[in-house]
């Protein structure tokens, strides 16, 4: 059987794309290997009607909603390769199945590389986060740290200051702040720690102290990091999709990439701002794009 569409990635982008495709009576398989970017956190914020929801619960509700649509099937498999032959896509999964589809939606999301700091994974998603719009409210007015080893440290500090003025910046051994940036931060009362962090200290994921290699210890209750981001799948690259300078797959207003028949949505095509509601909306747009292309081909 030839599918109308293969959706690869079952986060909010792929799930919403599948919902709209199912409602458009398009024969769709959604492939997902269940490694979402936000799996480290227990609460998601900022999605109206779902503020504070557990990310797993959000996905669970979405899967139940998709169950209503007979044209949508979910396969809990990783897609390991996609090739285009004539106008059809061959989708190969890690259980050695091959599916054929007329269109492909890439909704594979991003992977994060956290700063190289002892125990950072223990705190990430509980008291240390990467998106102030997602988790700033919960940390408001607390003593916080921006921990960043790259040039986005200054920008992150400016943004986080909106939620607390008890703020420090740690560059963990990097010299990334210019003299002008340092002066602006100092004027706001934001202290800068350029020495390397030796350890993050706290219990159950809740940060209490930051220890530096020079022996300084600082009391902090949470913070924001600036992770390095990369695509969690190379399928877009292998298919020949163009990327923008942030590393996102370039798309138009309805998710079309430069490769005919390949659509992209969610974090895969919008590196920032990355939000569940934006990913879901992009999924909806990509599905409308797929539907429009199929209509044009068959009507
Ligand atoms: C710590 C943290 C907290 C966050 N908190 C919030 C918040 O409170 N509010 C908010 O709006 N946003 C939050 N975000 C951002 C949010 O998680 C992302 O913007 C959102 O998940 C993007 O959705 P997506 O569908 O594009 O990708 P994802 O949710 O990452 O989903 C991609 C899916 O594709 C699958 N996949 C990848 N490659 C393949 C493959 N080859 N085959 C099959 N499946 C594949 C993955 O396993 C994954 O399930 C947070 C992010 C992090 C890291």
């Amino acid at each position: 059987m030839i599918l109308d569409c293969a959706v690869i990635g079952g986060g909010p982008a792929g799930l919403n794309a599948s919902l709209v495709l199912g409602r458009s009576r398009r024969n769709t398989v959604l492939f997902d290997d269940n490694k979402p970017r936000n799996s480290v956190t227990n609460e998601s914020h900022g999605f109206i009607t779902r503020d504070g929801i557990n990310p797993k619960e959000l996905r669970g509700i979405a899967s139940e909603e998709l169950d209503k649509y007979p044209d949508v099937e979910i396969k809990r498999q990783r897609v390991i390769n996609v090739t285009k032959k004539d106008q059809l896509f061959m989708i190969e999964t890690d259980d050695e199945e091959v599916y054929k589809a007329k269109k492909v939606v890439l909704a594979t999301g991003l992977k994060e590389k956290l700063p190289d700091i002892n125990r950072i994974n223990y705190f990430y998603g509980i008291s240390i986060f990467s998106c102030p719009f997602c988790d700033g409210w919960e940390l408001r007015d607390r003593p916080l740290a921006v921990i960043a080893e790259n040039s986005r440290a200054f920008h992150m500090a400016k943004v986080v200051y909106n939620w607390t003025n008890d703020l420090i910046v740690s560059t963990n051994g990097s010299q990334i702040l210019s003299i002008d940036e340092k002066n602006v931060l100092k004027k706001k009362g934001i202290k800068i720690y350029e020495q390397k962090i030796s350890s993050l200290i706290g219990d159950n994921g809740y940060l209490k102290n930051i220890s530096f290699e020079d022996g300084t210890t600082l009391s902090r209750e949470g913070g924001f990091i600036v992770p390095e981001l990369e695509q969690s799948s190379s399928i877009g690259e292998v298919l020949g999709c163009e990327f923008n300078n942030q590393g996102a797959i370039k798309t138009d207003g309805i998710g079309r990439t430069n490769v005919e028949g390949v659509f992209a949505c969610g974090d895969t095509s919008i590196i920032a701002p990355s939000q569940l509601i934006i990913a879901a909306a992009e999924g909806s747009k990509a599905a409308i794009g797929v539907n429009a292309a199929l209509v044009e081909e068959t009507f």
Side-chain angles (χ1 to χ4, degrees):
M1 186 182 64
I2 297 175
L3 301 170
D4 288 321
C5 190
V7 176
I8 307 174
L15 287 161
N16 219 120
S18 303
L19 176 63
V20 174
L21 286 164
R23 292 178 52 77
S24 309
R25 313 179 76 183
R26 299 299 180 186
N27 189 356
T28 300
V29 171
L30 168 63
F31 299 93
D32 184 60
D33 69 348
N34 199 26
K35 289 183 186 145
R37 191 179 150 198
N38 60 354
S39 59
V40 293
T41 190
N42 293 323
E43 283 184 22
S44 293
H45 306 105
F47 195 138
I48 195 81
T49 77
R50 293 286 179 263
D51 193 33
I53 194 168
N54 180 294
K56 278 192 202 130
E57 193 187 343
L58 179 80
R59 286 172 161 238
I61 295 170
S63 299
E64 278 171 27
E65 288 180 353
L66 290 179
D67 279 349
K68 286 193 293 195
Y69 297 94
D71 291 317
V72 180
E73 192 182 349
I74 301 179
K75 299 260 180 206
R76 301 285 173 203
Q77 242 79 48
R78 183 162 183 84
V79 172
I80 53 169
N81 197 21
V82 180
T83 47
K84 192 175 180 190
K85 206 171 167 198
D86 303 322
Q87 289 309 304
L88 276 188
F89 295 92
M90 308 291 152
I91 294 106
E92 203 181 321
T93 54
D94 57 2
D95 60 349
E96 296 181 357
E97 293 288 332
V98 178
Y99 299 79
K100 289 181 189 166
K102 294 177 195 165
K103 309 288 170 207
V104 169
V105 172
L106 300 175
T108 43
L110 298 173
K111 272 194 302 205
E112 311 192 296
K113 189 169 172 259
L114 307 188
D116 184 17
I117 297 169
N118 192 16
R119 300 185 79 219
I120 194 150
N121 287 303
Y122 182 68
F123 298 95
Y124 190 55
I126 298 173
S127 60
I128 295 180
F129 300 93
S130 53
C131 163
F133 299 99
C134 302
D135 301 289
W137 172 259
E138 283 64 37
L139 295 180
R140 67 194 182 281
D141 298 326
R142 306 252 194 99
L144 301 185
V146 164
I147 303 172
E149 300 162 328
N150 54 41
S151 60
R152 284 172 291 154
F154 180 65
H155 175 73
M156 182 61 104
K158 283 203 295 185
V159 175
V160 174
Y161 190 78
N162 180 51
W163 281 274
T164 185
N165 55 19
D166 186 353
L167 187 63
I168 65 108
V169 172
S170 161
T171 64
N172 191 33
S174 303
Q175 309 288 322
I176 33 121
L177 294 167
S178 69
I179 290 174
D180 285 349
E181 288 172 341
K182 285 182 185 175
N183 286 337
V184 173
L185 294 175
K186 279 178 195 160
K187 269 192 199 148
K188 289 282 183 190
I190 300 172
K191 283 195 181 156
I192 300 156
Y193 293 75
E194 289 185 312
Q195 60 270 54
K196 261 190 136 357
I197 293 174
S198 56
S199 190
L200 301 173
I201 299 152
D203 298 316
N204 302 317
Y206 292 97
L207 185 67
K208 283 187 184 152
N209 293 307
I210 302 178
S211 290
F212 295 93
E213 281 187 357
D214 66 0
T216 313
T217 295
L218 193 66
S219 166
R220 294 287 101 181
E221 291 181 15
F224 289 89
I225 57 164
V226 181
E228 300 294 331
L229 300 170
E230 60 180 55
Q231 294 283 339
S232 67
S233 157
S234 59
I235 295 170
E237 200 182 330
V238 171
L239 283 167
C241 293
E242 280 178 20
F243 290 77
N244 67 21
N245 55 14
Q246 286 188 306
I249 295 180
K250 280 190 193 172
T251 55
D252 68 5
I254 48 170
R256 284 183 294 203
T257 70
N258 59 305
V259 181
E260 204 190 330
V262 179
F263 297 72
C265 55
D267 284 4
T268 300
S269 61
I270 298 190
I271 302 275
S274 55
Q275 296 263 284
L276 299 161
I277 200 159
I278 295 174
E282 291 296 306
S284 177
K285 286 202 273 183
I288 289 168
V290 168
N291 199 53
L294 291 169
V295 167
E296 284 308 312
E297 286 166 21
T298 53
F299 190 72

